[in-house]
C-alpha cells in the first residue's frame, strides 16, 4: 500500500468551494445513473451519496423499516441531520423499489429545504425506452431550470457535454489502463469513485496523473460485483494475497458510458445513459450479464467472482443463484457476501473471502 | 441438457387429455362439488360459540370458478398458448387472443393460504435465493424448480409478460423465469407516479402495449380480433365496477363481509378479469351481500370496531386473524389492497382500448406515491367510518411498505385514530411472531376502546 501516497485528491469540502467559485450550485444525487452533463449545463454540480458509511442508521430508521438497505437509510439519516444543507436539490433516480420509496417519502412527507427531484430510468433498451427517456430528461431539464434559475443555451450544453464526455472517457481509459497503472487497488478505486464528487476537469486531471508502470497485482485475480465497495475491502483483499482484476460494481464499471454525438442534448443524454454496461437495476437479461462477466473475467485473468452486496439489495439478490450456476459451469467459482456499510468489515465476512481466495490459489 | 430440460414437471397435454380431464370430467366434478357445498352452506346455521356469522354462500361458486381455472392450467400447455403474467399486467389483449393466463403471484398466495408456501419457498432458498427477496417470488421459484404446487401442475409459459406497475421486484423475478424457461419476456415498464401522470409516461406505456400485442400475435399465430378485444375490455370494466361495488357494500353497518373475505373473493378479478364468468360471479355476490344488508346480517356477530387493513394480507393467517379479531368485536371492513382491482374501473374505456389501458395500468396504487396512498387511506377512513388502521409492514413487499411509518404517524396525528404497524410477511410464517403480533393487536384494540 506504499502507493497510497501518490494520490492527492481534493476533499469534498474543497470541491464544494471550487464549484461555488465557478458559479455552480450543488445537487445531492442518489445512485446510480443520472445525466451529469445536464446538471452541468444548468450550472449545477452533483455530489453523490452512497451511504455514507460513517453515518448511523438511527435517524433514517425513523422513516424506513429495518429491512431497508443502508444506502437508503443512511442517506436519510444524513439528510435529516443536516448533511446536505449546502445543496439546492436532491436527485433520486429510480434505481429500485427502495430508492422509489425514499424519493416518495422525501417529497411527500419530509419536504426538506432542498427541492426533491426524481428521474425514472427505463428498464429496457428498446426504441420506446429511448423515446421515453428523452422526454423524461426533458421534464427533468425543465425542473432544473427552476432549481438553478438558469436556462442553458446551446453553448452551455456543448461545453457541458464536452467536459463530461471527457471525464467519462477518462474513466473508461482508467479501466483500459488498469494493468499498466502502478497503484494499488485501493488507490485505483479511490480515483474511480472520486467521479462521485469531483468536477469533470478535476477527475480528468486525477486520472491523467496516475503513474504508469507495473501494476502491483499479485496473487489471485478476482472480479468483484455488487453495488459499492469501501476502500478497506481492497486493503483486505490485498492482504489475503489477491487483487481486483476487474469489477462489475454500480459505483465502478457499470458507469462506463459511451459518448453520443447527437445534436439534440436530450437525445444525447438519453443515449449516454442507455449505453451503460450490463446492470441488473437496468433490467439486463441474466444471460447477457453472465456472458459479459465471463468474457471480461477471461480477458482480465480473474479466477473467481466475489459478489459483495449491501444487505437487502433485491436487484442484486435475485441474480446471485443464476450467476453462480452459470459461472460455475464455465469454471468460475463464485462467492456471495453481504455487508452492512461501516468503517470495519466483520471478521466473519473477511474469513469467508479469505477462504475463497485460498480455494482459488 | 438445456436449462428448460431441467424442469421435467412441465409437460404438455394432448387435446384429448384436455377435453376428457378438463372439459368433461373436471368441469362435471367441480359442478357436483359446488352443488354439495351450496347445499351444506344453505343449511348452515350460526354457530353459538363462533364470533363469525356463516360464510357467504357465493363462496361455493368462487371455489368452482377458481378450481376450474387451475384445473384447466394443468392441461393447457400444448393446447392453448400460455402467458405467465404479473398481477398488474395489461392482459386484455392476451385474453382476446385466446391465451391461458397464469398469475404466479396468485399461485403463490394459494400456496400461502394452504400453508404450503414455506416448504416450497425453501426449495428456492436451497437453490440459493435469499430469504430477503419477496416471498411470492421465492414460493414461485421454488415451485418452478421442484414442481411442488397445491394446484397439481402449472403449464409451461410460451411468453412471460412483466409489468412493473406493482414493483421492480417482478422484473428481477421474471428475468429468472426467462432464464429457466428460455422463452420471450415482454416488459411493460410503467414509470412510477410521484405526482400526476405526464403525457410521455402514458405514451410510453401505450407503445409498449402495442409492442406486446405484436409479440403475442406472433406467438399465437393469429391477429387480434378488434370485436373480441372490445368485449374483453367491456367485461374488464364491468368486472372492476362490480368488484368496487362489492367492496363498497361494507360501508354499511354492520358490514356484510370482511376484508379477509375480500382477499379470498378477489380471485376472479385478479385471475379472470375480462371474462364473462367474473362479471356473473360478482353480480351474484352483490345480490347476496344486499340480502345480508337487508336482513341486518353482518360478517361478524358483534361489530364494535371498524378497521382498515393496509398492504397485502398475511395469507397463512387469514382464517386465524379473522376469528381472533371478530372475537374482540373488530371487523376489518376495508383494505387498500383489494380496492386496487376496482378503483380504476372508471378509467377503462372499451371504445378507446389502448389509450385507456395505458392510463389504467399506470395508475395502480402501488405505482403511486406514498402521499397518494395516505390520501386513499384517509378517504377510506371517512367513507367506511373507521375506528383504526392496521398497516401490515410486509417484510417482502418494500414498494408497499416503505412509507408506512410516516403514513401511520400522519393518520394518528391528523385523524386522531389509532394506527398499528404490524410486522409480518404475506407468505413467510417465519417472519411473523404470534405472541408479539397478538400483544400489539391487543394494545391496538385497547386504544380503540373509547370509540367502541
Ligand atoms: S443497495 Fe440495492 S436496494 Fe439499496 S438503493 Fe442500491 S440498488 Fe437499491
Ligand atoms: S408482494 Fe410486493 S414485491 Fe412481491 S411481487 Fe407483489 S408487489 Fe412485488
Amino acid at each position: 500500500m506504499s502507493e497510497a501516497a501518490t494520490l492527492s485528491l481534493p476533499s469534498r469540502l474543497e470541491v464544494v468551494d471550487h464549484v461555488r467559485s465557478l458559479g455552480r450550485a450543488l445537487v445531492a444525487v442518489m445512485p446510480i445513473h443520472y445525466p451529469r452533463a445536464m446538471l452541468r449545463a444548468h450550472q449545477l454540480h452533483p455530489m453523490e451519496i452512497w451511504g455514507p458509511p460513517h453515518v448511523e442508521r438511527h435517524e433514517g430508521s425513523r422513516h424506513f423499516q429495518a429491512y431497508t438497505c443502508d444506502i437508503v437509510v443512511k442517506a436519510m439519516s444524513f439528510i435529516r441531520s443536516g448533511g446536505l444543507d449546502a445543496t439546492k436539490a436532491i436527485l433520486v433516480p429510480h434505481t429500485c423499489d427502495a430508492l422509489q420509496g425514499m424519493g416518495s417519502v422525501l417529497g411527500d412527507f419530509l419536504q426538506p429545504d432542498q427541492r426533491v427531484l426524481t428521474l425514472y430510468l427505463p428498464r429496457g433498451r428498446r426504441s420506446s425506452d429511448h423515446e421515453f427517456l428523452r422526454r423524461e430528461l426533458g421534464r427533468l431539464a425543465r425542473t432544473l431550470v427552476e432549481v438553478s434559475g438558469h436556462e442553458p443555451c446551446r453553448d452551455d450544453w456543448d461545453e457541458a457535454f464536452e467536459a463530461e464526455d471527457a471525464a467519462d472517457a477518462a474513466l473508461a481509459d482508467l479501466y483500459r489502463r488498469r494493468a499498466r497503472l502502478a497503484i494499488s487497488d485501493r488507490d485505483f478505486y479511490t480515483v474511480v469513485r472520486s467521479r462521485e464528487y469531483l468536477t469533470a476537469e478535476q477527475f480528468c486531471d486525477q486520472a491523467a496523473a496516475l503513474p504508469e508502470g507495473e501494476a502491483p497485482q499479485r496473487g489471485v485475480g478476482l472480479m468483484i460485483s455488487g453495488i459499492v465497495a469501501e476502500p478497506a475491502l481492497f486493503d483486505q483483499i490485498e492482504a489475503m494475497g489477491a487483487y481486483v482484476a476487474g469489477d462489475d460494481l454500480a459505483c465502478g464499471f457499470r458507469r462506463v458510458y459511451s459518448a453520443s454525438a447527437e445534436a439534440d442534448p436530450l437525445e444525447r443524454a438519453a443515449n449516454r445513459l442507455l449505453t451503460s454496461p450490463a446492470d441488473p437495476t437496468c433490467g439486463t437479461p441474466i444471460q447477457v450479464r453472465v456472458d459479459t462477466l465471463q468474457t471480461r473475467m477471461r480477458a482480465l485473468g480473474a479466477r473467481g467472482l466475489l459478489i459483495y452486496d449491501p444487505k437487502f439489495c433485491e436487484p442484486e439478490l435475485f441474480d446471485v443463484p443464476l450467476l453462480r450456476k452459470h459461472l460455475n459451469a464455465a469454471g468460475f467459482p463464485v462467492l456471495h457476501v453481504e455487508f452492512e456499510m461501516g468503517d470495519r468489515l466483520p471478521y466473519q465476512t473477511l474469513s469467508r473471502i479469505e477462504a475463497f481466495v485460498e480455494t482459488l490459489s | 441438457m438445456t436449462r428448460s430440460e431441467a424442469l421435467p414437471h412441465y409437460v404438455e397435454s394432448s387435446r384429448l387429455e384436455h377435453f376428457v380431464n378438463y372439459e368433461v370430467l373436471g368441469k362435471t366434478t367441480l359442478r357436483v362439488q359446488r352443488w354439495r357445498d351450496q347445499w351444506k352452506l344453505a343449511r348452515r346455521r350460526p354457530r353459538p360459540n363462533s364470533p363469525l356469522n356463516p360464510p357467504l354462500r357465493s363462496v361455493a361458486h368462487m371455489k368452482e370458478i377458481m378450481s376450474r381455472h387451475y384445473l384447466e392450467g394443468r392441461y393447457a400447455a400444448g393446447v392453448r398458448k400460455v402467458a405467465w403474467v404479473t398481477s398488474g399486467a395489461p392482459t386484455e389483449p392476451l385474453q382476446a387472443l385466446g391465451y391461458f393466463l397464469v398469475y404466479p403471484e396468485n399461485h403463490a398466495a394459494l400456496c400461502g393460504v394452504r400453508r404450503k408456501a414455506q416448504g416450497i419457498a425453501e426449495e428456492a432458498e436451497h437453490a440459493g435465493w435469499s430469504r430477503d427477496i419477496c416471498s411470492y417470488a421465492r414460493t414461485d421459484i421454488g415451485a418452478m424448480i421442484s414442481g411442488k404446487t397445491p394446484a397439481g401442475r402449472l403449464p409451461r409459459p410460451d411468453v412471460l409478460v412483466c409489468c412493473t406497475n406493482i414493483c421492480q421486484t417482478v422484473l428481477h423475478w421474471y428475468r429468472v423465469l426467462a432464464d429457466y424457461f428460455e422463452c420471450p419476456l415482454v416488459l411493460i415498464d410503467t414509470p412510477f407516479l410521484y405526482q400526476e401522470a405526464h403525457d410521455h409516461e402514458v405514451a410510453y406505456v401505450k407503445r409498449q402495449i402495442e409492442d406486446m400485442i405484436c409479440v403475442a400475435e406472433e406467438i399465437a399465430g393469429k391477429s387480434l380480433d378488434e370485436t373480441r378485444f372490445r368485449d374483453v375490455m367491456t367485461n374488464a370494466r364491468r368486472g372492476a365496477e362490480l368488484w368496487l361495488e362489492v367492496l363498497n357494500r361494507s360501508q354499511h353497518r354492520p358490514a356484510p363481509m370482511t376484508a379477509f373475505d375480500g382477499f379470498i373473493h378477489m380471485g376472479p378479478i385478479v385471475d379472470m378479469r375480462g371474462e364473462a364468468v367474473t362479471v356473473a360471479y360478482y353480480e351474484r355476490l352483490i345480490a347476496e351481500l344486499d340480502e345480508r344488508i337487508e336482513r341486518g346480517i353482518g360478517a361478524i356477530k358483534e361489530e364494535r370496531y371498524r378497521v382498515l387493513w393496509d398492504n397485502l394480507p398475511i395469507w397463512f393467517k387469514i382464517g386465524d386473524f379473522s376469528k381472533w379479531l371478530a372475537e374482540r368485536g373488530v371487523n376489518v371492513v376495508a383494505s387498500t389492497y383489494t380496492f386496487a382491482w376496482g378503483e380504476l374501473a372508471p378509467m377503462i374505456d372499451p371504445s378507446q382500448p389502448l389509450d385507456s389501458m395505458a392510463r389504467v395500468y399506470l395508475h395502480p396504487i402501488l405505482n403511486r406515491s406514498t402521499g397518494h396512498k395516505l390520501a386513499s387511506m384517509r378517504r377510506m377512513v371517512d367513507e367506511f367510518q373507521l375506528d383504526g388502521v392496521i398497516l401490515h409492514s410486509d417484510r417482502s413487499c418494500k414498494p408497499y411498505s416503505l412509507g408506512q411509518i410516516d403514513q401511520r404517524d400522519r393518520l394518528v396525528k391528523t385523524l386522531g385514530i389509532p394506527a398499528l404497524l404490524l410486522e409480518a410477511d404475506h407468505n413467510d410464517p417465519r417472519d411473523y411472531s404470534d405472541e408479539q403480533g397478538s400483544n400489539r393487536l391487543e394494545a391496538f384494540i385497547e386504544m380503540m376502546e373509547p370509540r367502541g
Side-chain angles (χ1 to χ4, degrees), chain B residues 143 217 222 224 227 229 264 280 307 334 373 423:
Chain B
E217 285 179 329
K222 59 179 164 183
L224 185 63
T227 317
F229 184 25
I264 301 296
V307 166
K373 184 144 83 72
E423 305 271 347

Side-chain angles (χ1 to χ4, degrees), chain B residues 193 197-199 202 205 209 344 347 354-364:
Chain B
L193 301 183
H198 298 96
D199 288 347
V202 181
V205 177
I209 295 174
L344 303 180
M347 277 190 187
L354 293 178
D355 286 298
S356 73
M357 279 174 80
R359 291 206 152 269
V360 168
Y361 287 102
L362 251 181
H363 281 85

Side-chain angles (χ1 to χ4, degrees), chain A residues 62-63 65 67 97 100 104 108-109 120 122-123 126-127 129 135-136 284 287 314 318-319 321 326, chain B residues 3 129 134 168-169 171 175 179 187 189 192 200 204 207-208 369-371 393 398 401 405-406 410:
Chain A
R62 291 177 195 269
H63 304 281
Q65 285 92 334
Y67 47 78
D97 292 329
Q100 167 186 301
S104 193
D108 288 344
F109 299 136
Y120 192 81
R123 266 51 177 190
R126 306 156 296 186
S127 62
D129 302 309
R135 295 180 68 183
E136 173 71 350
T284 308
Q287 193 54 53
E314 272 207 353
F318 267 95
D319 285 15
H326 296 317
Chain B
R3 265 164 283 165
W129 275 277
C134 168
Q168 292 297 322
T169 299
L171 178 55
R175 287 160 67 248
D179 192 73
L187 168 66
D189 196 7
F192 183 75
H200 69 289
Y204 179 43
R207 186 156 161 212
Q208 293 176 86
S369 69
T370 49
S393 169
K398 293 180 182 75
S401 306
I405 297 179
D406 286 285
R410 275 162 180 76

Side-chain angles (χ1 to χ4, degrees), chain B residues 313-335:
Chain B
I314 303 171
W315 290 113
F316 53 92
K317 275 272 155 200
I318 280 194
D320 295 347
F321 267 169
S322 160
K323 187 157 170 269
W324 191 93
L325 289 165
E327 275 164 358
R328 289 152 181 82
V330 179
N331 193 358
V332 180
V333 297
S335 111

Side-chain angles (χ1 to χ4, degrees), chain B residues 105 134 136 166-167 169-170 173 312 366 394 396-399 426:
Chain B
E105 291 149 75
C134 168
Y136 270 172
I166 48 172
C167 59
T169 299
V170 285
W173 169 8
L312 277 80
L366 265 169
D394 186 343
S396 269
C397 188
K398 293 180 182 75
H426 59 265

Side-chain angles (χ1 to χ4, degrees), chain B residues 87-232:
Chain B
S87 62
T91 52
E92 288 81 358
L94 300 173
Q95 280 193 358
L97 280 163
Y99 277 80
F100 181 82
L101 302 179
V102 173
Y103 289 80
E105 291 149 75
N106 184 279
H107 169 257
L110 175 78
C111 299
V113 172
R114 303 262 181 97
R115 302 193 182 203
K116 302 265 188 250
Q118 182 182 330
I120 298 176
E122 279 168 358
E123 295 284 347
E125 290 159 26
H126 293 149
W129 275 277
S130 162
R131 263 191 68 187
D132 290 332
I133 65 169
C134 168
S135 52
Y136 270 172
R138 269 181 287 137
T139 308
D140 275 308
I141 292 172
M144 174 185 70
I145 57 187
S146 69
K148 289 183 185 169
T149 163
R153 189 169 71 201
L154 294 179
R156 177 192 196 88
D158 295 293
V159 62
L160 301 161
V161 178
C162 173
C163 183
T164 58
N165 59 3
I166 48 172
C167 59
Q168 292 297 322
T169 299
V170 285
L171 178 55
H172 304 306
W173 169 8
Y174 275 54
R175 287 160 67 248
V176 171
L177 299 183
D179 192 73
Y180 269 92
F181 289 119
E182 295 175 311
C183 70
L185 166 57
V186 176
L187 168 66
I188 309 285
D189 196 7
T190 48
F192 183 75
L193 301 183
Y194 292 96
Q195 288 137 9
E196 292 308 306
H198 298 96
D199 288 347
H200 69 289
E201 293 165 329
V202 181
Y204 179 43
V205 177
K206 182 179 171 193
R207 186 156 161 212
Q208 293 176 86
I209 295 174
E210 287 166 347
D211 292 346
M212 176 193 78
I213 293 172
C214 294
V215 175
E217 285 179 329
E218 204 179 315
I219 293 170
K222 59 179 164 183
S223 304
L224 185 63
D225 178 318
E226 294 296 324
T227 317
R228 171 85 187 109
F229 184 25
R230 256 164 238 256
D231 287 349
V232 173

